[in-house]
């Protein structure tokens, strides 16, 4: 695995104005937000941005969101998000032409595996499919082949549009495999069960994963067992998003803690004390 972090070419963290191009519901509780800015944000795959959502002055915390795709030249960014609370519900009410600010690019993104590393497997759970789509774009651009396992609770929660946007990025032999916990679409069961099955048919040299922590712990354990390099994109409640409040600790195997917002969100799975 190369040491190259995909934030190297990123711009300095700053606050930027943005304008909403579109904000549409694409699955149950799931939205696709397309936005634009006059400046280039220099976002790299796996990094995130901290959104100010207008409408409630008492809500001072920003909302950290990853991006699924980004046109670096025009600063045209596509976000997929799930409405879980007050902030994301207000975000879902933003309409074409509405404006606000975003702080970013934040954190350290996916590391680009060396091309010689061979084939990669991307494993997402729920809305973790958004930063996984950014990883897919990164691998496609580097000419690295990969398959995707995208797991969801149920078919109604699958953002088909996101999967359709990933499809053209696949190499000829690449596959996107769906799993649902309740068996309403694709493989019936957890992503880790589908991954175990896939590992019996195909060998992989690296795994990139984002989703619920319990899922990533399972993916990391399978990778450790098979000797596969694994990167995980961690999620934590965040106060500041840039290393000032120490509320986003990730426990490390080496002892102590890393800051998810500054040292992550992407970590080597072997660094994390699960
Ligand atoms: C680096 C990073 C990238 C993220 N990328 C995405 C993304 O691409 N798409 C997406 O839908 N979501 C993403 N999230 C999660 C998103 O930030 C939270 O869902 C959002 O902040 C919730 O805000 P809220 O005001 O709607 O909910 P709140 O009212 O603040 O909380 C509602 C519920 O969500 C939980 N929650 C809130 N924030 C987080 C968090 N950061 N991690 C785990 N649970 C949380 C709370 O405990 C509570 O149960 C990301 C989080 C991080 C840290
Ligand atoms: S969110 Fe404040 S230090 Fe990470």
């Amino acid at each position: 695995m190369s040491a190259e972090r995909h934030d190297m070419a990123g711009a300095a963290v700053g606050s930027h104005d943005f304008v909403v191009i579109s904000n549409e519901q694409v699955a149950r509780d799931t939205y696709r937000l397309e936005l634009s800015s006059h400046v280039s944000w220099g976002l790299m795959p796996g990094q995130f941005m901290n959104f100010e959502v207008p409408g409630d002055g008492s809500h001072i915390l920003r909302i950290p969101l990853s991006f699924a795709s980004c046109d670096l030249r025009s600063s045209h960014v596509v976000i997929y998000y799930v409405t879980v609370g007050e902030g994301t519900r207000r975000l879902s009410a933003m309409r074409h032409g509405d404006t606000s600010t975003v702080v970013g690019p934040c954190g350290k993104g996916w590391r680009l595996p060396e091309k010689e590393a061979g084939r990669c497997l991307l494993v997402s759970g729920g809305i973790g499919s958004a930063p996984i789509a950014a990883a897919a774009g990164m691998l496609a651009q580097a000419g690295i082949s990969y398959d995707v396992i995208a797991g969801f609770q149920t078919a109604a929660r699958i953002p088909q549009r996101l999967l359709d946007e990933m499809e053209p990025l696949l190499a000829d032999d690449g596959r996107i495999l769906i799993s649902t916990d309740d068996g309403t679409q694709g493989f019936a069961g957890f992503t880790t069960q589908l991954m175990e099955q896939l590992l019996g048919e195909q060998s992989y040299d690296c795994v990139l994963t984002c989703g619920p922590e319990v899922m990533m712990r399972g993916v990391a354990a399978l990778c450790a067992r098979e000797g596969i390099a694994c990167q995980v994109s961690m999620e934590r409640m965040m106060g500041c998003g840039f290393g000032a409040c120490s509320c986003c600790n990730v426990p490390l195997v080496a002892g102590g803690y890393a800051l998810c917002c500054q040292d992550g969100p992407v970590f080597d799975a072997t660094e994390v004390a699960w």
Side-chain angles (χ1 to χ4, degrees), residues 5 111 230 232 250-256 258 263 266-274:
R5 275 278 194 181
R111 288 184 303 275
C230 178
V232 294
V250 174
L252 298 177
V253 170
D263 305 314
V266 177
F267 293 89
D268 191 305
T270 58
E271 284 180 78
V272 178
W274 299 99

Side-chain angles (χ1 to χ4, degrees), residues 63-66 80-82 84-88 235-238:
I63 296 186
L65 293 172
S66 310
Y80 281 83
Y81 65 96
V82 169
V84 294
E86 176 53 26
T88 43
E235 200 179 300
R236 285 290 181 272
M237 296 289 287
M238 288 188 179

